[in-house]
Amino acid sequence: MTSLKAKDTYKSQDTEEWLDRVFTRPVGLLWARAFIALGLTPNAVTLLSIVLGIAAGVLFYSGRLWVNVVGILLLIQANIFDSTDGQMARMTGQKSRLGRVLDGMAGDVWFITIYVAICTRLTSQWGVWIWLLGALAGVGCHTRQARLADYYRNIHLRVLKGTSGSELDESNNLKNEYAKLTWRESSVWKAFMWFYIRYTAAQEAATPEFQRLREHLFADQRLREPFLAGSRPLMAWANLLTFNARALTLYASLLCGYPWLYFVAEVTVFTALYALMKHRHESLCKRLQNY
């Protein structure tokens, strides 16, 4: 365990960002070793990251620069712990669907808090308009961007490493599992599953060409290399729509005193990247349907 290197805890080289390779993963591995020695579970660390992320968002309500800097540091630490929980799961074999759902929910909770804090902070200047801009940036753009990026990364991992290396799910299978659960005996898990089914169904609805290719892609090994050749460059685009690029944009907007610029970047720059990534991936899947 002590000789394990950060790269040994990657999901894959293809899906790792540069900043994660040089900073987040190495630091996360140190925390992972410490938490494993303390007997903590990956899910416990995920919950800790959620608490830190919420605290960071609350601090972004303040117009004081030093308070925002503390919030930035807390969000950086929350993201490190968000990396740590996955590293712990892979190191100990404690991977679970609950962990995946919690891990995905962590970022949503952070950014909901951040969006509400920024909108509340700017209400006296912008009135209702900042809430409309925040809703457009968050619900209309951020949510679907991150959701699709997560889906594309898991598709890539499924083709690259098989079922054991990916967390790709299918909504129809999830619905069957959901139907077998009872609210009396599994109320918490059934509630998680309710949201997760809708999350997965939304991913599928956004990718019609992949859905047509899906069964053929996973069954025919001849498609593996052509798909990976087209998908691999898009992993860099997907990574830009997850945390690091978005967080750096947020930090810059806070430090310069114009947090609304983050919302503008979501609506313009990140949306354009999302549209290009989706077009490229769907075109790849359509092309391979007749391979």
Side-chain angles (χ1 to χ4, degrees), residues 120-233:
T120 305
R121 168 178 170 176
L122 298 178
T123 296
S124 61
Q125 303 171 37
W126 287 63
V128 70
W129 296 108
I130 191 62
W131 290 94
L132 293 175
L133 178 59
L136 175 61
V139 179
C141 301
H142 180 158
T143 298
R144 65 180 61 188
Q145 293 164 8
R147 185 171 59 210
L148 190 64
D150 173 65
Y151 196 50
Y152 284 163
R153 290 171 71 172
N154 274 300
I155 292 169
H156 186 87
L157 288 168
R158 173 67 174 79
V159 177
L160 181 69
K161 305 181 75 172
T163 55
S164 62
S166 173
E167 296 168 331
L168 188 67
D169 278 312
E170 190 170 356
S171 61
N172 285 334
N173 294 336
L174 296 174
K175 289 175 183 177
N176 292 334
E177 292 182 36
Y178 178 83
K180 297 175 183 177
L181 299 173
T182 64
W183 285 107
R184 174 175 293 184
E185 297 179 356
S186 309
S187 57
V188 174
W189 181 239
K190 194 172 177 74
F192 272 120
M193 287 289 287
W194 189 89
F195 286 105
Y196 186 49
I197 288 169
R198 278 144 188 81
Y199 177 83
T200 304
Q203 292 176 318
E204 293 168 354
T207 55
E209 297 299 340
F210 168 70
Q211 301 310 317
R212 295 185 184 96
L213 177 68
R214 181 173 186 150
E215 185 176 348
H216 186 38
L217 174 64
F218 297 152
D220 191 344
Q221 282 296 310
R222 295 177 304 165
L223 294 178
R224 183 177 185 273
E225 290 307 321
F227 178 84
L228 290 175
S231 175
R232 192 168 282 115

